[in-house]
């Protein structure tokens, strides 16, 4: 039977789940903030490749722990383990990296192709980058520039579509106690548009609000070691609504989209 997702209901439930999981997830969020601050500090003072790699892995592990705690708070019960959720996250990151590299490579070579086609400059290894940049800016208002803008928009759409179709991976992994990656892909078939609309209230809005606040505060924090650490930790804190509401949307959509034969644990009502 086809399911018509209630967008407003999904958003309301998602934020309800987020509020409900905020306090239980706070210790894990604090740990993630500390490690993110140390990672930002390590990058800022050039602590070395090995130390920064170690801190990056630690940030990833703390993020998985926070995510698992949030899912367990929202689901009421969740047999999924840390390793299963980490496996699912890594698989998604690798998939995004593959798709992103492909799209990025195409967008990187497209300006050169369009510049050659428009006849604005003859490109070779000795062409002054300033000349290329000036020619590109001159091309943007033309039809060739429109082709580039459309290509960028399509690339962004592809990444967003990919993310929406894999929205349920984390919630399904925590809920079922087994690593779920592309097995959730068919569940969201035909629902990407409504999930995307809901995501504007749970993902897009909170994310860009966090970015805007962080950009305003960055000059005040400065580049001292203390400022770098606080900036990294504060960045995670500002993203907490985005993270929690994003988890909440997945948890709200999961029982509506998972196959009827699946044994999905009951989700406690939002209060």
């Amino acid at each position: 039977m086809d399911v018509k997702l209630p967008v407003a209901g999904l958003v309301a439930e998602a934020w309800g789940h987020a509020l409900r999981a905020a306090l239980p997830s706070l210790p894990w969020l604090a740990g993630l903030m500390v490690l993110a601050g140390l990672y930002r500090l390590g990058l800022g003072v050039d602590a070395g490749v090995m130390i920064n790699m170690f801190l990056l892995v630690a940030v990833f592990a703390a993020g998985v722990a926070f995510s698992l705690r949030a899912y367990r708070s929202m689901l009421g019960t969740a047999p999924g383990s840390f390793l299963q959720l980490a496996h699912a996250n890594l698989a998604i990151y690798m998939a995004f990296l593959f798709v992103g590299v492909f799209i990025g490579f195409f967008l990187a070579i497209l300006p050169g192709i369009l510049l050659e086609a428009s006849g604005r400059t003859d490109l070779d290894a000795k062409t002054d980058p300033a000349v290329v940049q000036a020619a590109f800016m001159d091309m943007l208002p033309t039809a060739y520039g429109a082709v580039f803008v459309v290509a960028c928009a399509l690339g962004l759409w592809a990444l967003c579509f990919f993310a929406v179709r894999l929205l349920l991976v984390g919630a399904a992994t925590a809920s079922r106690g087994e690593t779920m990656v592309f097995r959730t892909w068919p569940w969201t078939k035909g629902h990407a548009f409504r999930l995307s609309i809901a995501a504007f209230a749970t993902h897009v809005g909170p994310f860009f609000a966090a970015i805007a606040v962080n950009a305003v505060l960055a000059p005040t924090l400065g580049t001292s070691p203390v400022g770098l650490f606080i900036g990294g930790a504060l960045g995670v804190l500002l993203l907490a609504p985005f993270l929690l509401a994003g988890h909440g949307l997945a948890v709200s959509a999961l029982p509506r989209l998972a196959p009827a034969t699946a044994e999905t644990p009951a989700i406690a009502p939002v209060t």
Side-chain angles (χ1 to χ4, degrees):
M1 182 176 64
D2 292 336
V3 176
K4 187 175 182 179
L5 294 176
V7 175
L10 282 177
V11 172
E13 285 185 22
W15 281 106
H17 287 312
L19 292 173
R20 177 174 150 190
L23 187 59
S25 303
L26 188 58
W28 283 261
L29 178 65
L32 179 58
M33 290 172 60
V34 170
L35 289 170
L38 291 174
Y39 178 62
R40 175 82 179 275
L41 176 60
L43 291 177
V45 301
D46 194 16
V49 175
M50 294 303 297
I51 293 177
N52 288 333
M53 283 297 297
F54 173 79
L55 289 173
L56 180 60
V57 172
V59 168
F60 169 76
V64 173
F66 166 77
S67 182
L68 184 60
R69 176 67 267 178
Y71 279 132
R72 286 175 173 171
S73 299
M74 294 175 185
L75 289 164
T77 178
S81 68
F82 173 88
L83 289 179
Q84 289 168 340
L85 190 56
H87 181 193
N89 284 348
L90 281 174
I92 291 178
Y93 294 161
M94 291 299 103
F96 266 99
L97 179 62
F98 176 80
V99 175
V101 167
F102 177 79
I103 293 175
F105 176 76
F106 174 74
L107 293 178
I109 66 173
L110 184 59
I113 297 173
L114 293 174
L115 284 171
E116 289 282 4
S118 66
R120 278 174 167 74
T121 185
D122 294 325
L123 299 178
D124 56 42
K126 297 181 180 180
T127 303
D128 188 340
V131 174
V132 176
Q133 183 177 5
F136 177 74
M137 297 304 296
D138 182 60
M139 181 191 71
L140 275 180
T142 69
Y144 294 97
V147 171
F148 180 73
V149 172
V150 170
C152 290
L154 288 175
L156 178 61
W157 172 84
L159 290 175
C160 292
F161 178 80
F162 195 63
V164 168
R165 290 297 304 272
L166 293 175
L167 176 70
L168 304 181
V169 170
T173 297
S175 163
R176 295 191 168 201
E178 56 181 323
T179 302
M180 306 285 290
V181 184
F182 285 101
R183 282 184 287 175
T184 67
W185 183 272
W187 302 358
T188 55
K189 182 179 180 180
H191 303 288
F193 179 69
R194 286 180 171 270
L195 288 174
S196 297
I197 296 176
F200 271 93
T202 58
H203 291 69
V204 179
F207 178 79
F208 281 104
I211 295 299
V213 174
N214 196 46
V216 171
L217 295 177
T220 303
L221 296 174
T223 56
S224 67
V226 174
L228 290 171
F229 175 82
I230 294 176
L234 184 62
V236 171
L237 180 61
L238 292 173
L239 286 172
F242 157 76
L243 296 172
L244 288 170
H247 284 56
L249 180 60
V251 169
S252 298
L254 180 64
R256 293 177 167 92
L257 299 181
T261 56
E263 296 179 2
T264 305
I267 299 174
V270 178
T271 57

